[in-house]
Amino acid sequence: MAVTQPAASSASASAFAARPARPAAPVPPSAAAFTARPPAAASGPAVPSAGQEAGSGGGGGGAVRLAGPVPGALAHRYAALPPPLWVALAALRLEVLLGDPRDAANPYSLPALAAPVSAGSAASAGSAASAASAGSAGVGVGEGWAGRAGVLLTAAGVDRVRAADQRVRALRPLLRRDLALGHAAGTWGGPGSRARGQAGESSPVSCVVPAALLGPAALVAAAGSVLRQAALTVAGRGRGEPALRQWQPVLAAAFADLLACESLTCVALRSLAAPGSGPGPGGGAGLLGAVAGYVVPTVLADVLAQLGLVLAECGQGPAGTGGGMLAKLTRDLPLAGVDAAGAAYWQACLARALPALAAEEPRTAHHGPVPAPFRLADPPTPAAGVAAAGEQGGRYTPDGHESGRFAPGGHEPGGHEPGGHELGGDSVVLSGLLRAGAARADGADGGDGGDSDRAALGALARRLLTEQRALRRPCRTAGADPGAVAARALADRQALLWLAAAVLGVREAADDGRGLFLGGTHWALLALSGIAGRLGVPLPGPAPDPRAPVWAELADRVRRGVDCDVYATRLLW
């Protein structure tokens, strides 16, 4: 189905010039709640503390003992697409500090975080929280949240992770538990950082993750936790209650939409320092930042509505853990700038940029290797400005990325992709990938689902490419009145097409012969079918139904304790 546009048809461009003020943040837990206690039953090799480097000597003082593989193999067992070792260690430390998510006595458990806030607490929070700053995304978090989140991140060593996409991966244990606390952790700039004019609060300017992408990244992680709760209920009770099986296709589609949104967010995070990206409509994060700021909240709003329906039908209302998590997440959307007002702001930014972006689109498909930001399995280069003195052994940076391999953003020096592709604007790369996906429809390379699945994926990509070509002419004149309904509708449709291009690029890059689910056609076909439905574009004839294999993957993940993310991260708890 098509995305419903805002009702205010007479809104002018000036109405979108400044970000709406954010509501006050809830009161954070007390400082005593941040005292970490490792799980009592944990055993096995020790995970080094934040002050220790992997592979360095020294005793185990301050180490947290975790059951599982030795640290040398930890990163590869941590996820199907593993991060650098110390990023995995930082995430595991943070997970231990947060404690058991099922223990109601733990202030960072899912039941405790999802508990409704009383009227008195809300009033107290409103008087204590700092005011939101107009015109900037991702601010308005109370100083208590950011300061206390900083205690967690320092203890876990997350503050030492400087690459934006790896910082989000290290923050994932916190992001998937609570959107408000995760957002505060993301805006924390490091020990001793202060915002200008606001004592005790971190400066968003010094943050590794730009504000334009912090909200979408946090929303993807938090929505994944709600999806996991719904899938656990349906998978666990499906055999005894056949009526619950009707929700399996719904959850499969939600899973595919979530992977699509995370694919776009990850590509945007990895593209932050790309040569020639320059200022764009994304407020420092380029075109992809603006696209993610609009399309991720818009698509996930539908996903959250579907999850609410599934949870309610499964008896998981607001009083239950799953329903309470969804209600808390919905309340926190304005705080993180990922509500309808935040999406409208980025939609207007895209509408103003449409004429220039339409003029940049290429006429040919992308050739050569998939651009580096789409290759999620490759180690990205940290953001510019990381001190070379922090390199270990002369080859690796503090984040575990091989030094000298890529220029910032994962590209070769000189703005060329490995393989000879000259880097252009983000819209050029995305449009080229959409054309490349449409060209690969013969299914000659086989894969999970065979020729029919790949042919269906290529045919659907061709249908979306036709839609993009039809938009080029109206987009060239859309910037005259970016607040007009027509301009915002064009921005909506173009953003969804760029989301489809991100899906195609990430899927192709992950199809490297290892049999990864991310490299298969099922989730991509289901995600593109959802995008086509939102655009109102008819599907190109009969095609294999990918919902059953996507649901099988989701059910298998929740049974094995694997996160609902693109990396297939194994959960500690």
Side-chain angles (χ1 to χ4, degrees):
M1 59 182 177
V3 177
T4 303
Q5 296 299 318
S9 60
S10 61
S12 62
S14 60
F16 301 94
R19 296 299 307 270
R22 301 292 173 218
V27 173
S30 62
F34 285 80
T35 303
R37 295 191 303 270
S43 61
V47 174
S49 63
Q52 296 174 309
E53 296 296 338
S56 63
V64 178
R65 302 195 65 83
L66 298 172
V70 296
L74 184 62
H76 293 278
R77 298 194 183 185
Y78 177 70
L81 297 178
L85 174 59
W86 28 87
V87 176
L89 292 176
L92 287 172
R93 294 188 202 103
L94 182 58
E95 192 84 73
V96 172
L97 290 170
L98 291 171
D100 190 345
R102 295 157 295 190
D103 182 7
N106 175 14
Y108 297 107
S109 67
L110 296 178
L113 290 171
V117 181
S118 63
S121 299
S124 176
S127 60
S130 60
S133 299
S136 63
V139 294
V141 179
E143 62 183 60
W145 278 112
R148 297 183 195 281
V151 176
L152 280 172
L153 304 190
T154 303
V158 176
D159 58 307
R160 302 175 65 243
V161 180
R162 302 301 299 169
D165 65 318
Q166 299 302 312
R167 172 67 72 90
V168 169
R169 292 195 71 173
L171 285 173
R172 180 86 181 192
L174 190 59
L175 297 178
R176 62 174 169 249
R177 293 207 188 191
D178 186 78
L179 181 61
L181 184 58
H183 185 268
T187 59
W188 182 71
S193 62
R194 294 290 184 269
R196 297 179 180 178
Q198 298 182 25
E201 186 174 337
S202 302
S203 171
V205 177
S206 64
C207 293
V208 172
V209 184
L213 293 171
L214 175 59
L219 176 58
V220 165
S225 294
V226 180
L227 172 62
R228 179 176 173 80
Q229 290 294 320
L232 278 170
T233 302
V234 173
R237 293 165 46 188
R239 292 185 178 181
E241 302 178 47
L244 294 184
R245 298 175 193 169
Q246 65 178 316
W247 302 115
Q248 293 177 1
V250 176
L251 295 180
F255 184 32
D257 287 342
L258 197 68
L259 292 177
C261 291
E262 188 174 10
S263 296
L264 174 65
T265 304
C266 290
V267 171
L269 287 167
R270 292 169 60 88
S271 303
L272 289 176
S277 57
L287 167 68
L288 289 170
V291 174
Y294 168 66
V295 81
V296 171
T298 302
V299 172
L300 292 190
D302 293 340
V303 170
L304 294 178
Q306 294 291 335
L307 293 179
L309 177 61
V310 174
L311 290 169
E313 291 296 322
C314 294
Q316 293 282 333
T321 300
M325 291 171 59
L326 179 59
K328 175 65 163 56
L329 173 58
T330 303
R331 293 195 302 269
D332 290 342
L333 292 178
L335 179 66
V338 286
D339 57 343
Y345 172 84
W346 294 117
Q347 186 185 29
C349 292
L350 288 173
R352 286 193 293 269
L354 282 178
L357 297 175
E360 291 180 354
E361 294 182 3
R363 297 181 179 179
T364 59
H366 172 83
H367 297 288
V370 179
F374 296 84
R375 300 196 294 267
L376 304 187
D378 289 356
T381 300
V386 177
E391 296 181 0
Q392 300 179 5
R395 292 186 63 229
Y396 294 91
T397 66
D399 286 329
H401 305 133
E402 190 172 355
S403 60
R405 181 177 181 184
F406 295 118
H411 303 275
E412 290 183 348
H416 294 270
E417 290 292 336
H421 173 70
E422 186 171 356
L423 180 68
D426 289 336
S427 63
V428 175
V429 175
L430 291 170
S431 299
L433 287 171
L434 190 59
R435 284 160 171 74
R440 285 187 284 268
D442 54 5
D445 49 352
D448 72 319
D451 295 354
S452 59
D453 285 338
R454 291 181 180 268
L457 184 62
L460 185 51
R462 281 200 303 270
R463 185 63 57 88
L464 296 176
L465 177 59
T466 302
E467 173 68 17
Q468 186 187 49
R469 287 170 175 166
L471 293 180
R472 292 193 65 186
R473 185 181 298 273
C475 283
R476 289 171 181 166
T477 59
D481 185 7
V485 173
R488 290 185 285 127
L490 286 171
D492 169 74
R493 301 184 75 80
Q494 187 63 73
L496 288 171
L497 290 170
W498 280 322
L499 175 64
V503 169
L504 291 169
V506 168
R507 190 217 69 82
E508 182 187 350
D511 187 13
D512 55 3
R514 289 184 290 168
L516 298 175
F517 175 75
L518 192 66
T521 58
H522 295 134
W523 77 273
L525 182 57
L526 187 54
L528 262 62
S529 299
I531 292 172
R534 291 181 173 90
L535 289 168
V537 174
L539 298 179
D545 190 349
R547 292 178 296 179
V550 173
W551 162 252
E553 170 71 15
L554 176 60
D556 183 63
R557 287 194 183 193
V558 298
R559 292 190 184 103
R560 293 188 296 113
V562 177
D563 199 3
C564 304
D565 62 343
V566 294
Y567 304 104
T569 305
R570 189 176 298 274
L571 301 175
L572 175 63
W573 302 98

